[in-house]
Amino acid sequence: MTRWTPRPDGGRPSGKACSHTWTADPPPLGETCASCAPHERAPADLLLCLTCGHVGCSDSSRGAHATAHFDSSSHPVARTLARDREWAWCYEDEVYLDPLEQPLLRFTPRTPESVWDYPRPPVMREDDRDVRVECAGQVVAETRRAVRVLETSHPPVFYVPPQDVRTEFLFPAVAGRTWCEWKGSARYWDVIVGNDVRARAAWSYPRPEPGYAPLADFFAFYPSLMDRCTVDGEEVTAQKGDFYGGWITAEVRGPFKGAPGTQLW
C-alpha cells in the first residue's frame, strides 16, 4: 500500500496547501479508459481513482474522462498508471502528490489532559492530526480535518468529514437509532469490506441539534470494531463498554466512563 503526500519541492500549481494524505490501492476496474473502450480507443496515459478504482484517460483538456469522473463523483485523488512514473493528483486541492514508502507520521507526546476537565455539555474542537481508520485490509477513513468531541469523564470521540471516508464501505445498519441529549438522533452504519461485516461499527448525526451543526454527516468509528485506529501514528485504545466509542491516546487521562459500575458517572 502506498501513501501519497504533497510534493515537498513546492510543485503545487494552485499554490494551495493540500488537505489530503491519501492511502489507498483499490484494484483497477479496467485495463483502459472506461469511456474510451466502447469506441475502441486505447489512450496511453491513464489515471486510477484512489477511491473506487475507476480508470480514465488523463488528458488534461476540459471533459477528459478522468476529470469527468472526479466532477461527477467528487472523489479527490487519482494516480498515474504509467509504469515509468509515480505521482498522483488531487483534483480537490489541485496539488501533485508523491509516494512515501516509509510511515508518514511518528507519535510525539502532547500535553496531558484529564477527561475530568472536559465540560458538560460537550464541546467540539477541530483537530489537524492525521486520523486513520483501518478495516479488513482497507483504509476506511483518513483525515486531517477531524472534529474531536470532548465530554466530562469520556475519552474524546473523533468525527471524520464524509469527504475523507470511503463511504462505499458504509451501509445503513438494520437496527440503528439512539438519542443523545446534546447532539440529537444518531444513525448507525455497518462497515462492510468484501465479506467482512462489522455491524454498527460507525455512527453519524444527519441532523444534529443546532449547537452541534458542524457534525452533520461526519462519521465516528468504534475503535474496538475496527482493526486499527491511529492518531498521528499512535494506535488508540478503545473506551470500555459497547456504547460510547471514545478514543484513548497517550495524553488522555482517566478514569474513564464505560467500564462496569461507571454508568452513573
Side-chain angles (χ1 to χ4, degrees):
M1 182 173 289
T2 302
R3 299 178 64 90
W4 297 91
T5 190
R7 284 186 178 175
D9 59 6
R12 304 179 179 184
S14 66
K16 301 176 184 176
C18 183
S19 59
H20 299 88
T21 301
W22 201 255
T23 307
D25 53 355
L29 298 180
E31 296 181 356
T32 188
C33 175
S35 300
C36 290
H39 304 287
E40 298 184 351
R41 295 194 295 266
D45 293 329
L46 298 173
L47 290 179
L48 171 70
C49 174
L50 292 186
T51 299
C52 70
H54 174 273
V55 176
C57 58
S58 63
D59 181 352
S60 61
S61 63
R62 186 174 181 82
H65 295 135
T67 305
H69 172 72
F70 167 75
D71 290 340
S72 63
S73 68
S74 295
H75 294 164
V77 178
R79 73 168 176 88
T80 179
L81 289 177
R83 295 181 182 274
D84 58 341
R85 289 174 286 172
E86 273 196 298
W87 56 267
W89 172 255
C90 177
Y91 283 94
E92 184 172 312
D93 296 314
E94 298 180 337
V95 173
Y96 281 106
L97 308 176
D98 282 338
L100 280 180
E101 298 302 335
Q102 299 300 319
L104 177 66
L105 296 163
R106 300 292 185 185
F107 165 63
T108 54
R110 290 165 57 94
T111 302
E113 52 189 57
S114 169
V115 298
W116 294 95
D117 292 331
Y118 296 161
R120 185 176 286 138
V123 296
M124 298 173 291
R125 294 288 183 264
E126 294 181 352
D127 199 300
D128 63 0
R129 289 177 290 175
D130 182 78
V131 173
R132 178 178 166 99
V133 178
E134 301 175 18
C135 180
Q138 294 288 341
V139 177
V140 175
E142 186 164 17
T143 191
R144 283 185 172 274
R145 300 182 288 181
V147 173
R148 281 201 313 165
V149 172
L150 311 177
E151 181 178 355
T152 306
S153 78
H154 293 271
V157 174
F158 286 80
Y159 286 81
V160 180
Q163 301 91 329
D164 296 336
V165 176
R166 297 182 66 185
T167 53
E168 68 268 26
F169 295 140
L170 270 60
F171 297 84
V174 174
R177 293 277 182 175
T178 60
W179 178 262
C180 169
E181 62 181 312
W182 313 114
K183 298 182 288 294
S185 178
R187 181 179 187 180
Y188 286 81
W189 302 84
D190 297 339
V191 176
I192 303 177
V193 181
N195 294 323
D196 193 318
V197 179
R198 313 289 175 95
R200 290 171 60 90
W203 74 94
S204 64
Y205 290 93
R207 291 179 294 277
E209 293 297 299
Y212 298 89
L215 295 181
D217 294 322
F218 277 44
F219 293 96
F221 295 85
Y222 284 99
S224 61
L225 298 178
M226 296 291 96
D227 291 339
R228 189 167 182 259
C229 295
T230 59
V231 178
D232 261 5
E234 177 195 359
E235 187 163 356
V236 309
T237 299
Q239 180 179 9
K240 291 183 178 180
D242 59 359
F243 182 72
Y244 298 109
W247 292 30
I248 303 173
T249 48
E251 79 276 8
V252 180
R253 304 287 192 263
F256 308 112
K257 184 173 182 176
T262 66
Q263 288 81 0
L264 299 179
W265 285 11

